Amino acid sequence: MESVAAFKAKAVKLKSAVPVIAAIAVSISLGAAREPENKYDVLAKTLAPFVNVFAQKTKNPNRALTLKLRLETMTGMSLELAGAHAEVALQYPDKLRVRGPFLGEELTVCRDGQDIWMAPGSKLAPLLAAARTAKKLPKPDPDFRLAPFRLPVPDKQLVFLPALFQVRDAGTEPLDGAPCRVLDLTLMPELARSVGAGWSVRLWAGENHIPMRLALTRADWQISVRIDAVSFLPALPEATWQPAGQEDILKITPAQYQQLLGLLNAAR
């Protein structure tokens, strides 16, 4: 058996080692705390609230969102557009309202199911009439109906949505004094080729994985947008989709809306 003296000597050595062990443990824990979150986890958590809005079947109660956007840069941007603001309200499955600058004025476009209205109508009606006279509008399809909002991925595969992207970690960058995780995103090459996507996106994700900035780049075009506010709700007030207080309204049919989209696509 060990003598009392030997036992005490070992106890003293163990006691003296406690601070060293504690320091090592703290160092390990701090190192773990500094380890950056996996880039695909950051992307998944940033996309999740948006995906839940658009998923056909979900237990998440939030089926609507609002966004406040601010234009920072854009290829060919005029001076009056610098810092321009836009607002988006969307509710699954078929309600959308967008307000932003157009032709020097604030333009509002709203879809409520198959009902579509735009304001100010006095600005838009002459443009459509001129395009019709010049025969620039595509032939209308009287049977055309707007489809509900859909993600290009089946619900069962939504969990794999981040895996459709190649993600490069671009580190961190402060926005308004708050650190943001910066990710560069491109579609997987096979998918990009199949859908003809030649773009890349830089995403700034802030606290709680809230998107703070998006920059989209193509070979000949670039745009950077700040996301000043984003919220997710079960539903938006019914008044959101009504032109209350606006008299200068232009109502169009889904077929006319399809024509307008065709005109815009032809002008790109």
Side-chain angles (χ1 to χ4, degrees):
M1 294 181 62
E2 291 183 316
S3 66
V4 174
F7 180 80
K8 288 183 177 180
K10 287 186 176 181
V12 170
K13 290 181 179 179
L14 179 60
K15 185 177 180 180
S16 65
V18 168
V20 177
I21 295 172
I24 293 174
V26 170
S27 176
I28 292 172
S29 65
L30 288 176
R34 286 194 297 266
E35 186 71 22
E37 186 177 11
N38 180 278
K39 57 190 178 182
Y40 282 97
D41 289 340
V42 174
L43 178 60
K45 292 175 183 178
T46 302
L47 293 177
F50 296 91
V51 170
N52 286 328
V53 170
F54 289 97
Q56 296 182 52
K57 297 179 180 179
T58 177
K59 294 181 180 179
N60 192 296
N62 292 332
R63 306 298 276 163
L65 65 85
T66 62
L67 286 167
K68 291 185 178 180
L69 310 172
R70 175 164 36 100
L71 181 61
E72 292 186 318
T73 62
M74 184 175 68
T75 301
M77 182 176 69
S78 59
L79 290 177
E80 57 266 24
L81 279 178
H85 290 75
E87 296 182 1
V88 178
L90 182 147
Q91 184 171 310
Y92 184 86
D94 57 9
K95 298 178 185 291
L96 174 68
R97 179 169 176 156
V98 180
R99 180 180 176 86
F102 181 72
L103 296 178
E105 293 196 29
E106 288 291 318
L107 169 70
T108 301
V109 178
C110 184
R111 173 195 176 184
D112 183 5
Q114 299 300 315
D115 297 326
I116 307 162
W117 59 266
M118 299 184 290
S122 57
K123 279 281 186 179
L124 295 165
L127 292 177
L128 291 174
R132 192 177 296 111
T133 301
K135 297 183 179 181
K136 292 183 178 180
L137 286 177
K139 185 178 179 180
D141 177 4
D143 298 323
F144 176 77
R145 292 293 179 270
L146 293 169
F149 302 129
R150 289 284 187 271
L151 290 172
V153 179
D155 274 16
K156 292 182 179 179
Q157 298 179 16
L158 289 178
V159 67
F160 304 112
L161 186 60
L164 299 180
F165 294 91
Q166 290 182 319
V167 182
R168 186 181 72 85
D169 194 335
T172 60
E173 180 180 328
L175 285 180
D176 299 331
C180 289
R181 188 75 173 273
V182 185
L183 303 176
D184 288 329
L185 315 174
T186 54
L187 284 174
M188 295 295 290
E190 298 81 2
L191 181 59
R193 284 194 294 270
S194 67
V195 299
W199 48 259
S200 63
V201 173
R202 173 162 281 197
L203 164 69
W204 284 256
E207 186 179 6
N208 297 323
H209 305 94
I210 299 297
M212 302 292 291
R213 174 188 279 158
L214 283 174
L216 187 147
T217 302
R218 296 189 319 211
D220 58 346
W221 190 75
Q222 180 272 339
I223 186 171
S224 175
V225 176
R226 275 296 298 270
I227 303 174
D228 289 326
V230 57
S231 59
F232 302 93
L233 312 95
L236 290 165
E238 191 61 31
T240 306
W241 324 112
Q242 305 301 322
Q246 299 188 55
E247 298 179 357
D248 192 1
I249 299 297
L250 174 66
K251 293 185 178 182
I252 63 174
T253 66
Q256 291 172 319
Y257 178 76
Q258 185 189 36
Q259 283 185 299
L260 181 59
L261 289 182
L263 177 64
L264 294 175
N265 286 332
R268 290 173 60 181

